[in-house]
Amino acid sequence: MSGNRRPTIKTVAARAGVGRTTVSRVVNGSELVSADARARVLAAIKELNYVPNSVARGLVTNRTNAVALVIPESESRLGSEPFFAALIRGVSGALAESRTQLQLMLVRDQAERDQLTESVATRRVDGVLLVSVHAEDRLPGMLEEMGLPTVLAGRRDAGEQLSYVNSDNAGGAAQAVRHLLDRGRKRIATITGPQDMDVGRSRLAGWRAAHEEAGVPAAELLVEAGDFTEESGSRAMRSLLERAPDLDAVFAASDLMAVGALAELRRRKRRVPGDVAVVGFEDSVLARHTNPPLTTVRQPVEELGRTMARILTGITLNGAPRQQLTLPTELVVRESS
């Protein structure tokens, strides 16, 4: 055999005089191999200096040692929102621990949805990590019907049946509003996330709950919807100022929307925090570089990604049961409030 050709499972099988499935069984520690065959395979592996790969293992385990991170968003959204970058870092770091490959799949149209369906149907991946889950999204149900282990970032609603890892969205939002109330703010507006997402509804619920705790009316006039983008934060801030020019604080349900709100406040010559205090949610890298630096609710996005990946590999490797976890958040106070 040439010194620069890497031995394959076929090479080992030929040298040992057995089939490739027998080699795979030996590699994976299966007991369904005779002592003689095992000895010959091990001798061939040693002689050839063979290093087993995921394909060889997959012949017996029906595993690909690959999982898909499915994000139903555009490339521009993926590149502009720090949340996705932090999540991917967490996921890839945890998967490296189990030597599981990560396939990133953007699902933006029906063709890409069909491609995902084909990958699932032909078992090219062992499981799916699903991000940006909307209430009417059919993907979670489809994956469940196909029997593919799935872990969500967030959840569809409070009755979610699939495994998920969530942040304490309602609690974090309530803490942000309590902070503003404690600073003497009276008219606290909110820029919400999409209301077809549990994360958007939960952060709005936290805004309302903090007002209720304090015995302060939560005026619906001070609620404006956004979609977690900077542009929507700017538009929402403009609309809020037109409807309620006397507002003195705003809780934005994401840092990016808070950045948009800050830009609109600068255009309107409103001082932050003198005239209007601003609080965001996430504690992304952006929060430390706004002017002024942004008070925000820190959610552990990398840890969220790591936890999702570990839950999924626990299911795919060891048959672990489904898990539903909520990670704590904390308020990080900076100069914007």
Side-chain angles (χ1 to χ4, degrees):
M1 180 178 178
S2 173
N4 59 8
R5 286 190 62 190
R6 184 176 179 177
T8 66
I9 190 171
K10 184 177 180 181
T11 314
V12 174
R15 180 64 59 92
V18 299
R20 284 181 291 176
T21 299
T22 300
V23 176
S24 292
R25 285 175 175 160
V26 173
V27 166
N28 287 280
S30 171
E31 296 180 359
L32 302 176
V33 183
S34 69
D36 176 64
R38 185 184 305 279
R40 282 187 283 136
V41 169
L42 291 175
I45 286 174
K46 183 177 181 181
E47 182 181 347
L48 296 171
N49 196 26
Y50 170 67
V51 179
N53 60 32
S54 60
V55 174
R57 289 191 295 269
L59 289 175
V60 167
T61 64
N62 289 321
R63 295 188 68 252
T64 64
N65 286 331
V67 300
L69 175 60
V70 178
I71 304 177
E73 301 286 357
S74 65
E75 298 102 322
S76 60
R77 192 82 178 255
L78 185 67
S80 64
E81 296 193 22
F83 172 86
F84 293 119
L87 186 85
I88 291 169
R89 283 197 301 272
V91 167
S92 61
L95 291 179
E97 297 170 2
S98 60
R99 298 191 176 183
T100 301
Q101 294 180 334
L102 175 63
Q103 296 181 14
L104 178 61
M105 301 183 71
L106 301 185
V107 179
R108 296 155 293 191
D109 54 30
Q110 189 57 47
E112 290 177 339
R113 186 178 292 267
D114 292 343
Q115 182 182 4
L116 172 62
T117 303
E118 182 184 354
S119 292
V120 171
T122 56
R123 285 298 192 268
R124 293 183 204 158
V125 293
D126 298 324
V128 168
L129 302 165
L130 185 56
V131 184
S132 293
V133 182
H134 294 259
E136 300 304 316
D137 194 337
R138 292 176 297 169
L139 276 177
M142 180 195 80
L143 295 168
E144 186 173 28
E145 288 172 7
M146 300 181 84
L148 193 73
T150 301
V151 180
L152 309 180
R155 59 188 186 181
R156 287 169 289 182
D157 53 48
E160 182 62 70
Q161 296 299 306
L162 294 175
S163 293
Y164 67 77
V165 184
N166 203 16
S167 294
D168 183 8
N169 294 302
Q175 188 178 16
V177 176
R178 283 194 293 267
H179 165 72
L180 291 168
L181 290 167
D182 289 345
R183 293 287 173 98
R185 304 293 167 159
K186 305 295 185 185
R187 298 271 284 165
I188 304 171
T190 185
I191 302 172
T192 77
Q195 293 302 288
D196 67 340
M197 300 179 74
D198 180 78
V199 59
R201 295 191 301 273
S202 294
R203 292 177 189 177
L204 176 58
W207 174 84
R208 289 197 175 108
H211 279 88
E212 185 176 342
E213 289 170 11
V216 177
E220 294 305 311
L221 180 73
L222 296 175
V223 178
E224 186 67 28
D227 62 6
F228 293 138
T229 64
E230 181 178 349
E231 294 77 10
S232 73
S234 181
R235 286 194 305 269
M237 191 73 254
R238 188 179 314 123
S239 179
L240 286 166
L241 289 170
E242 289 169 357
R243 290 203 308 267
D246 61 336
L247 66 83
D248 59 4
V250 61
F251 163 61
S254 79
D255 285 352
L256 261 183
M257 292 196 299
V259 169
L262 287 169
E264 184 62 25
L265 288 167
R266 279 195 299 273
R267 283 192 287 270
R268 299 292 185 107
K269 309 299 183 186
R270 298 291 185 97
R271 294 171 300 136
V272 177
D275 299 324
V276 180
V278 179
V279 179
F281 202 113
E282 187 178 332
D283 194 29
S284 65
V285 66
L286 296 173
R288 296 184 290 279
H289 300 289
T290 57
N291 183 22
L294 183 67
T295 294
T296 184
V297 178
R298 176 179 294 154
Q299 64 170 345
V301 181
E302 284 197 42
E303 181 59 27
L304 191 150
R306 281 193 294 271
T307 305
M308 287 176 65
R310 286 168 181 160
I311 289 175
L312 185 60
T313 54
I315 295 170
T316 60
L317 289 172
N318 306 313
R322 292 179 179 180
Q323 292 188 57
Q324 297 181 337
L325 300 178
T326 298
L327 303 182
T329 56
E330 64 175 306
L331 185 70
V332 179
V333 179
R334 298 191 180 96
E335 286 85 343
S336 70
S337 63

